[in-house]
Amino acid sequence: MMINEIEITKTEAFRPRFDDISKDGDRLMEHVVELIHAGRLEKKKGVSAFDQYIKATNRRLMEAYFERELYAEIERHYSYDFEVAFSWPHPEMLQDIDRLTIAGQGQRTVRIWRHYLALMKQHYWQLIDVRKRGFKKAPHLQESEASQRDEWEAWTGRVPQYKREILAMMDAAQECFDRSGATPSQFVRLSRERAEIESEERRRPEGKPDARKIDEDVFWEIIGLPGESGGLGDQIDALPDRLARFKATAIKSFDVLLHEMDARAYRSEIWALAYLLNDGCSDDEFAGFRSWLILQGREFFEETLADPDGFDVSLVPGGGGSALSIWNAPLLAHEMRQGKPMKRKTFRLPDLSEKDPQEADFEDVLPRVAAAMNRR
């Protein structure tokens, strides 16, 4: 039986209770995606399933959030999926930001913009770093040197266009900050970042470097927590600046510790956790999940490794792939401190033996997580 736009919200899979609208919202979106994949939705000619159903469903949720003054959920929606930050904010998002501002939620709008800008900047500085390093043939790739050079030139050739886009985005953010009552320090930060983007050069750290060696305590101090700066995107964006305050040898120590933490999380139980939380998990997705775990801070990281089956499934991470930007932080920090690239050591992840549980057994490995996900 085909389902149309009206019938979709009458199904048993979405019966809004609004006592926990965030979970209902997630459940509705998952249900719509499942129906699309199953081919059970009526489609208008010339209109994509995304435009016809996903966008419409998303709009219903936003209106429900505004009606019930669930402003935290609106902020969560616009800051949850990292991948959305790589497309220009659409008109409906800008309208929602204005509505938040009118509702007296100015700092929420600032944090949403900070999230978008942080992720755009990460990509920009990565492009700048690749261009500075120059082309070098990668011997492990099958492509010819000419093919690799063409790809490198195409990649670095994006800088001018990307620069124009991010500067336009900063101008739009400036207008929003004016209306939202941003603090003086938030205006100063935005102005400084704009100057850096214009010059294609990150500001070198001022004053004497922090003389401390980076051990595990200092490592976690530098990592910080997502909520300290307004969101995970801002947290990742702040890492190179925090790390660049240290000496070059300490930055290299941070890089070693980062690899060590990643190796600690490279366990079959953690892979099972990522698999159950995300309904599947490739190698790249698992790398993103481990990076996300590290970015949650020391206590959360240690607790998850000690008891994966005790994980709170309401904290399912979104857009974990962008958490991989944490690996650029030591490289960017070293460039800022020394003015030249850092030579990174080669690290190997542990070998997961063939005796480790397979995907079919993951629910037995983490029964509490599996049961909680099945109830969602």
Side-chain angles (χ1 to χ4, degrees), residues 56-70:
T57 303
N58 174 68
R59 196 65 249 154
R60 285 177 59 88
L61 288 174
M62 287 299 101
E63 293 304 324
Y65 292 152
F66 273 110
E67 287 173 11
R68 290 157 181 80
E69 299 183 355
L70 297 174

Side-chain angles (χ1 to χ4, degrees), residues 222-323:
I222 295 168
I223 290 291
L225 293 170
E228 291 177 353
S229 54
L232 199 58
D234 239 17
Q235 178 193 14
I236 298 173
D237 184 47
L239 277 176
D241 290 305
R242 291 181 182 176
L243 192 52
R245 297 171 188 160
F246 291 81
K247 295 180 179 179
T249 52
I251 294 172
K252 291 179 180 179
S253 296
F254 179 95
D255 193 51
V256 171
L257 282 167
L258 181 59
H259 281 85
E260 289 179 359
M261 298 302 166
D262 185 54
R264 286 181 58 194
Y266 193 78
R267 292 169 25 201
S268 57
E269 300 93 335
I270 304 301
W271 198 325
L273 175 61
Y275 185 96
L276 293 173
L277 292 174
N278 297 288
D279 194 24
C281 185
S282 65
D283 288 356
D284 289 342
E285 289 167 335
F286 185 35
F289 181 73
R290 298 194 308 274
S291 300
W292 178 85
L293 275 182
I294 293 170
L295 286 164
Q296 302 312 297
R298 186 175 203 164
E299 183 177 355
F300 188 95
F301 180 81
E302 298 287 358
E303 288 179 355
T304 300
L305 264 57
D307 182 20
D309 203 24
F311 190 93
D312 181 355
V313 301
S314 68
L315 302 175
V316 178
S322 291

Side-chain angles (χ1 to χ4, degrees), residues 30-291:
E30 290 169 4
H31 179 57
V32 172
V33 172
E34 289 171 1
L35 290 173
I36 289 174
H37 289 320
R40 293 187 57 204
L41 296 180
E42 293 179 357
K43 289 181 61 179
K44 295 178 182 176
K45 195 170 183 179
V47 180
S48 70
F50 176 85
D51 287 339
Q52 185 176 344
Y53 288 102
I54 298 294
K55 288 178 68 174
T57 303
N58 174 68
R59 196 65 249 154
R60 285 177 59 88
L61 288 174
M62 287 299 101
E63 293 304 324
Y65 292 152
F66 273 110
E67 287 173 11
R68 290 157 181 80
E69 299 183 355
L70 297 174
Y71 302 127
E73 291 302 329
I74 299 169
E75 180 182 350
R76 170 183 176 272
H77 172 83
Y78 283 121
S79 305
Y80 185 67
D81 186 354
F82 292 152
E83 303 306 326
V84 76
F86 293 103
S87 61
W88 180 260
H90 51 79
E92 288 185 347
M93 172 196 163
L94 296 177
Q95 291 172 10
D96 288 343
I97 286 178
D98 284 341
R99 291 172 71 180
L100 281 173
T101 302
I102 293 171
Q105 302 295 314
Q107 278 302 306
R108 291 194 189 279
T109 67
V110 170
R111 287 196 295 268
I112 290 171
W113 271 111
R114 289 293 336 159
H115 170 81
Y116 274 69
L117 289 173
L119 296 175
M120 292 285 285
K121 284 170 54 201
Q122 287 166 37
H123 189 56
Y124 177 78
W125 291 121
Q126 185 180 4
L127 286 174
I128 296 295
D129 186 53
V130 170
R131 191 177 65 179
K132 279 186 177 180
R133 288 169 179 265
F135 172 75
K136 186 177 181 181
K137 184 179 183 298
H140 62 282
L141 296 179
Q142 294 181 353
E143 290 87 347
S144 67
E145 180 172 348
S147 177
Q148 289 186 36
R149 182 179 291 277
D150 287 344
E151 186 174 347
W152 180 86
E153 290 177 350
W155 177 253
T156 56
R158 299 174 186 174
V159 170
Q161 179 182 353
Y162 207 78
K163 179 179 178 179
R164 288 192 297 271
E165 291 176 355
I166 196 169
L167 287 174
M169 197 174 187
M170 286 180 159
D171 290 341
Q174 173 81 39
E175 293 179 6
C176 178
F177 281 23
D178 289 335
R179 299 191 304 272
S180 301
T183 65
S185 62
Q186 289 169 335
F187 280 109
V188 169
R189 179 179 178 185
L190 184 62
S191 176
R192 187 199 75 191
E193 291 172 339
R194 197 183 196 290
E196 290 178 345
I197 297 294
E198 281 273 21
S199 66
E200 300 182 8
E201 195 74 41
R202 294 190 79 149
R203 187 174 63 171
R204 298 287 294 274
E206 298 175 353
K208 293 183 179 180
D210 192 318
R212 290 180 296 169
K213 294 181 178 179
I214 296 184
D215 56 14
E216 284 198 27
D217 291 332
V218 179
F219 172 87
W220 288 112
E221 177 188 320
I222 295 168
I223 290 291
L225 293 170
E228 291 177 353
S229 54
L232 199 58
D234 239 17
Q235 178 193 14
I236 298 173
D237 184 47
L239 277 176
D241 290 305
R242 291 181 182 176
L243 192 52
R245 297 171 188 160
F246 291 81
K247 295 180 179 179
T249 52
I251 294 172
K252 291 179 180 179
S253 296
F254 179 95
D255 193 51
V256 171
L257 282 167
L258 181 59
H259 281 85
E260 289 179 359
M261 298 302 166
D262 185 54
R264 286 181 58 194
Y266 193 78
R267 292 169 25 201
S268 57
E269 300 93 335
I270 304 301
W271 198 325
L273 175 61
Y275 185 96
L276 293 173
L277 292 174
N278 297 288
D279 194 24
C281 185
S282 65
D283 288 356
D284 289 342
E285 289 167 335
F286 185 35
F289 181 73
R290 298 194 308 274
S291 300

